[in-house]
Amino acid sequence: MRHVITLLVENEFGVLARIASLFSGRGFNIECLSVAETLDPTVSTMTIITHGDDQIIEQVLKQLNKLIPVIKVVDLVDKDFVEREMVLVKVSATEKTREEILRITDIFRGKVIDVGARTYTIEVTGDEKKMDALLTLLKPLGIKELVRTGRVAMARGSKAITELT
Amino acid sequence: MKKTGSQIIIECLKKEGVETLFNYPGGAVLPFFDELVDAPFHQILVRHEQAAVHAADGYARASGKAGVVVVTSGPGATNTVTGIATAYMDSIPIVILTGQIPTHLIGNDAFQEADIVGITRPCTKHNYLVKEIKDLSRILREAFYIARSGRPGPVLVDLPKDILVGSAEFKYPEKVSIRGYRPTLEGHPGQVQRAVHLILKSKKPVFYVGGGIISSNASRELFAFSDKLGIPVTMTLMGLGGFPGNHPLSLGMLGMHGTYQANMAVMESDLLIAVGARFDDRVTGKLESFAPQARVIHIDIDPTSISKNVKVDLPIVGDCKRTLSKMLSLIEKEDHQALREGLHKWHRQIESWKAIYDMHYQQEQIIKPQYVIEKMDELTGGEAIVTTEVGQNQMWAAQYYKFLKPRTFLTSGGLGTMGYGFPAALGAQVAFPNRLVIGISGDGSFQMNSQELATAVQYRLPVKVAILNNGFLGMVRQWQEFFYGKRYASSSLEGVSPDFVKLAEAYGAVGLRATKPEEVVPVLKKAFSIPEPVVIDFLIDPEENVYPMVPAGEPLNQMRLV
């Protein structure tokens, strides 16, 4: 089963390496990982998406907690949460397809952020399903390049991660 | 007052109560060694950095204090890796200080540069590269705190040369506060209460205890608990000494080379009380059929150990000593007479297993390794500190020496490191100069760190190394005999090992040899009476095997008995 794990970690060198080596050393899989500083510059937040049965996920959470620079670990999967990702797509734009690309971009509330002689570069944010739908539509038109930020997630409601159990 | 980095380290070590350093100098760490000339530490210069870590490990296991190692950058640091991994797997508190090239050269492939923080990340509890001298005292304080607390383990601190020679205001941080590290010591009260009720209702309970009993100093609590209620105790290799091996309630060791009664008791038990143990594959055999009838209570300070391999019915995260003591005080308030009386039947069943098969061997004209260990046990009254290497020598020591007290059996259980035992014995001897320390060894293992004879002689550490010399890498040979059609690939050392008596003498130690069973006792007596390092070469039966044996991946009750 897919799990979305959010972590607070010390913002110091080597933390990413510790987490990455924990996943590789113990054979846990990692679908995507994103990390950035929080308001408090000594703390970073990380979102990790992983797969595994209950026993594996229990180990993933415990092993993450065991790392000294990891301050807090929350598995969002049994909570209500929002999840977003940004993608940049460079699509071939011919005379025939220009209109169609703009229409799709509009439907997905995206933006054209760069125009080349034969391409549009589009920026779209959303959850995994939205991204998949967008890419399914754009693929036949010719995707030249695709970059995704990886997902970030946050629990719904008024509680911050520091207040979640 | 301002101090140099090297002086700050020395002040921190003093504050941490460090008395002994196991070290090996080199270029990058020389500023610190220069400062050590006037420092009040007992310093042991080993002959290989791996041995420094094993010696610090033996020192830590025997004394309960943190061991400290100082080595240089690059190869000095990489040589410590096996020692660190050994200590990590067995949860031994060690602080390793490694020299490093100056910070401005890091990443340039400088002479004797190695990314030791990167290399040891997966085999340390935590590690640090000191980048600014202002962090030095805090990092050292944290390093010792992390190494000693919770589930103990090795912590490495990498010290660039410019940090050692730089200067800063020294202030020792009295308090440690690490927001991501707060070990749980007290077991959850509700869980503890539920555990007590499970125990009171059980008919065939067994304590299954591991190294956590030793590291949390919980043997007295375990003894009181078991003795009060009559609950039998089986120990893992790491747990030996945690409960007296000669006590009627001791089942001995369980697992691959465990006793018949221990393995049968686990398979028949209705309640397994696991304390400071981690359900290692050498203990459980085939996981699906491990303790099939038992509910499982698991007490451990490390949450990751719980439900990792075996689904646990009642987990308790907490310190073994505190939790056992809490449970016992609760049981004393309840009516436990019925449980105690009900256990007579269980005791009789265990007796009957003992009658079916007890540890034994055939005495012949050639020295049997089991006989050597048995005689050691008799002559020392179970009071010696015993270290082992890995393989047959380790298993025979575990089976035939009746360890009575914690911290008397030092062995590499998790990583299974050949070459561990001899330097660990030196470390234990440094911690206890007046106690008898025996390093049980094989002809293969001893050669993995035999250079430490020089260290033993230099510091007059009177360890007794007993080589069970069968001319083979014995456990490899045994597996090849059982599972690889007797094709002895690369396992014979016959005729190609040095003369161990002469080797000892070359280093200035005493060498003795026993070739016949009747020589065993006189040679042991003689060795124990010599106040110097002694190597004894016991020429044993080359084809003796370790029994019982549960082949890897089979259920515990599928033991090969002969």
Side-chain angles (χ1 to χ4, degrees):
Chain A
M1 189 180 157
R2 176 176 176 272
H3 286 249
V4 180
I5 298 168
T6 168
L7 324 176
L8 292 180
V9 299
E10 297 287 347
N11 185 10
E12 60 189 28
F13 79 97
V15 176
L16 183 60
R18 274 179 216 283
I19 287 171
S21 101
L22 168 68
F23 275 77
S24 66
R26 295 197 177 263
F28 301 144
N29 79 61
I30 197 161
E31 183 189 304
C32 102
L33 183 155
S34 67
V35 54
E37 201 174 288
T38 62
L39 264 184
D40 174 354
T42 68
V43 178
S44 294
T45 183
M46 240 183 233
T47 309
I48 296 176
I49 298 187
T50 181
H51 292 265
D53 61 27
D54 289 353
Q55 201 188 355
I56 288 172
I57 296 299
E58 184 181 331
Q59 270 298 308
V60 169
L61 299 173
K62 285 173 165 180
Q63 293 286 355
L64 284 169
N65 258 313
K66 191 170 164 179
L67 294 175
I68 310 274
V70 171
I71 302 165
K72 177 121 192 186
V73 182
V74 177
D75 183 3
L76 291 174
V77 87
D78 44 0
K79 299 188 164 47
D80 206 5
F81 68 98
V82 286
E83 181 187 328
R84 289 291 180 273
E85 171 179 42
M86 185 171 83
V87 298
L88 300 180
V89 206
K90 194 172 282 182
V91 204
S92 304
T94 62
E95 222 159 286
K96 275 186 189 166
T97 58
R98 264 171 217 279
E99 273 304 306
E100 178 67 1
I101 294 168
L102 289 176
R103 205 160 32 236
I104 293 170
T105 307
D106 203 35
I107 293 167
F108 284 85
R109 296 188 190 165
K111 273 190 285 192
V112 176
I113 54 169
D114 187 53
V115 181
R118 284 187 214 77
T119 56
Y120 279 154
T121 300
I122 301 165
E123 168 202 313
V124 183
T125 61
D127 62 14
E128 196 178 12
K129 274 186 194 151
K130 181 174 165 185
M131 294 304 126
D132 287 348
L134 171 77
L135 296 176
T136 311
L137 291 176
L138 289 180
K139 228 177 192 172
L141 306 176
I143 295 177
K144 293 197 69 174
E145 193 182 351
L146 169 71
V147 187
R148 313 173 73 143
T149 57
R151 271 140 279 169
V152 292
M154 194 182 264
R156 286 184 189 271
S158 51
K159 283 188 175 165
I161 174 176
T162 45
E163 300 161 318
L164 290 172
T165 47
Chain B
M1 207 185 98
K2 285 210 166 186
K3 286 187 182 297
T4 66
S6 297
Q7 289 166 339
I8 290 174
I9 299 168
I10 286 179
E11 289 309 311
C12 287
L13 295 179
K14 282 197 232 165
K15 284 277 192 186
E16 295 295 339
V18 173
E19 293 160 357
T20 305
L21 305 178
F22 298 90
N23 60 28
Y24 205 105
V29 79
L30 272 179
F32 180 62
F33 273 81
D34 189 53
E35 207 62 52
L36 275 178
V37 171
D38 303 315
F41 306 120
H42 184 197
Q43 295 174 52
I44 306 290
L45 169 70
V46 294
R47 297 303 187 272
H48 188 291
E49 290 90 347
Q50 182 193 347
V53 187
H54 290 327
D57 174 312
Y59 175 90
R61 292 190 208 220
S63 69
K65 299 174 191 164
V68 183
V69 175
V70 188
V71 297
T72 193
S73 65
T78 56
N79 273 346
T80 63
V81 171
T82 300
I84 295 174
T86 303
Y88 183 63
M89 288 286 266
D90 291 345
S91 311
I92 307 304
I94 302 181
V95 174
I96 304 99
L97 306 177
T98 50
Q100 181 57 281
I101 57 158
T103 42
H104 70 274
L105 286 177
I106 290 177
N108 277 354
D109 300 327
F111 178 65
Q112 293 199 326
E113 175 178 3
D115 173 16
I116 198 62
V117 167
I119 290 169
T120 59
R121 208 173 272 132
C123 64
T124 49
K125 185 169 169 187
H126 194 51
N127 60 16
Y128 296 91
L129 169 64
V130 182
K131 284 182 139 178
E132 291 184 66
I133 192 166
K134 70 172 172 54
D135 297 329
L136 181 57
S137 53
R138 175 186 57 81
I139 286 175
L140 288 169
R141 183 85 174 89
E142 287 183 4
F144 277 91
Y145 174 69
I146 291 170
R148 288 169 174 152
S149 59
R151 177 177 178 176
V155 178
L156 181 140
V157 182
D158 202 17
L159 301 158
K161 195 170 187 177
D162 53 321
I163 300 289
L164 297 177
V165 298
S167 69
E169 211 54 55
F170 172 63
K171 195 170 169 290
Y172 178 73
E174 293 296 336
K175 280 206 165 144
V176 184
S177 171
I178 308 168
R179 53 189 163 180
Y181 178 67
R182 301 226 165 92
T184 307
L185 298 179
E186 299 296 340
H188 185 277
Q191 293 289 86
V192 171
Q193 188 68 57
R194 279 186 277 279
V196 164
H197 285 136
L198 276 183
I199 293 171
L200 288 170
K201 276 192 299 185
S202 67
K203 301 268 182 292
K204 299 174 177 179
V206 176
F207 269 116
Y208 146 49
V209 307
I213 282 287
I214 314 276
S215 57
S216 78
N217 298 312
S219 16
R220 196 176 302 166
E221 287 71 13
L222 172 68
F223 185 88
F225 206 132
S226 158
D227 197 52
K228 177 129 205 141
L229 301 174
I231 300 177
V233 180
T234 178
M235 288 160 275
T236 68
L237 182 71
M238 298 303 301
L240 290 174
F243 188 81
N246 60 357
H247 193 282
L249 287 170
S250 169
L251 302 173
M253 183 171 76
L254 81 164
M256 182 177 276
H257 294 295
T259 65
Y260 186 75
Q261 73 259 25
N263 286 343
M264 293 306 286
V266 166
M267 295 301 279
E268 291 288 318
S269 164
D270 68 345
L271 180 69
L272 201 60
I273 314 161
V275 190
R278 58 186 178 85
F279 298 84
D280 176 83
D281 55 281
R282 285 295 189 265
V283 158
T284 61
K286 190 180 180 186
L287 261 182
E288 301 78 62
S289 41
F290 177 71
Q293 332 207 11
R295 308 191 74 173
V296 179
I297 298 172
H298 190 180
I299 305 168
D300 204 291
I301 197 156
D302 179 4
T304 67
S305 287
I306 292 175
S307 290
K308 182 171 66 180
N309 301 332
V310 165
K311 185 94 186 64
V312 168
D313 299 288
L314 207 150
I316 301 177
V317 177
D319 172 58
C320 297
K321 184 186 181 84
R322 293 190 196 204
T323 309
L324 282 179
S325 147
K326 180 81 190 145
M327 280 165 77
L328 186 58
S329 72
L330 289 173
I331 280 187
E332 280 168 344
K333 288 182 202 147
E334 308 255 355
D335 178 16
H336 54 264
Q337 214 43 43
L339 168 67
R340 203 189 153 94
E341 278 158 21
L343 288 183
H344 289 316
K345 216 169 131 194
W346 181 224
H347 293 160
R348 276 200 299 279
Q349 193 171 357
I350 288 168
E351 279 305 313
S352 74
W353 284 322
K354 209 169 185 171
I356 294 173
Y357 184 90
D358 202 5
M359 280 295 169
H360 69 279
Y361 57 93
Q362 293 289 322
Q363 191 58 268
E364 290 165 27
Q365 285 310 304
I366 189 162
I367 299 176
K368 292 287 180 170
Q370 301 94 328
Y371 176 74
V372 177
I373 312 280
E374 242 175 31
K375 291 297 147 190
M376 268 181 201
D377 183 40
E378 277 173 37
L379 289 172
T380 61
E383 291 283 340
I385 296 175
V386 175
T387 75
T388 74
E389 302 291 345
V390 169
Q392 289 183 321
N393 68 83
Q394 180 184 35
M395 290 301 116
W396 286 317
Q399 291 176 333
Y400 287 88
Y401 197 94
K402 301 285 172 250
F403 296 95
L404 304 178
K405 292 176 186 161
R407 305 194 179 279
T408 57
F409 182 51
L410 323 181
T411 192
S412 168
L415 196 66
T417 308
M418 288 170 70
Y420 167 80
F422 177 38
L426 298 179
Q429 189 79 77
V430 169
F432 295 102
N434 299 319
R435 286 178 67 177
L436 176 60
V437 180
I438 305 173
I440 295 173
S441 189
D443 44 321
S445 294
F446 182 65
Q447 293 184 69
M448 284 211 181
N449 265 321
S450 59
Q451 81 285 345
E452 296 308 315
L453 277 168
T455 311
V457 170
Q458 181 184 347
Y459 297 96
R460 304 203 62 195
L461 299 168
V463 298
K464 312 301 172 223
V465 177
I467 301 175
L468 303 175
N469 185 350
N470 54 9
F472 273 109
L473 303 175
M475 191 58 95
V476 173
R477 194 208 58 79
Q478 178 171 340
W479 280 55
Q480 288 170 333
E481 178 189 332
F482 288 3
F483 312 118
Y484 295 90
K486 300 192 179 181
R487 289 154 57 83
Y488 298 126
S490 297
S491 58
S492 173
L493 298 176
E494 207 203 337
V496 294
S497 286
D499 178 327
F500 291 112
V501 172
K502 283 188 185 158
L503 182 71
E505 287 167 357
Y507 279 99
V510 177
L512 301 174
R513 180 171 287 125
T515 55
K516 295 192 287 262
E518 57 271 26
E519 291 169 1
V520 169
V521 170
V523 161
L524 281 173
K525 280 187 176 161
K526 184 170 181 196
F528 294 163
S529 71
I530 299 171
E532 282 174 62
V534 181
V535 175
I536 319 164
D537 189 19
F538 290 101
L539 300 183
I540 64 160
D541 183 348
E543 303 212 331
E544 187 64 26
N545 287 323
V546 178
Y547 292 109
M549 177 172 190
V550 181
E554 289 196 25
L556 279 191
N557 52 7
Q558 302 298 308
M559 284 169 270
R560 291 194 187 195
L561 296 175
V562 194

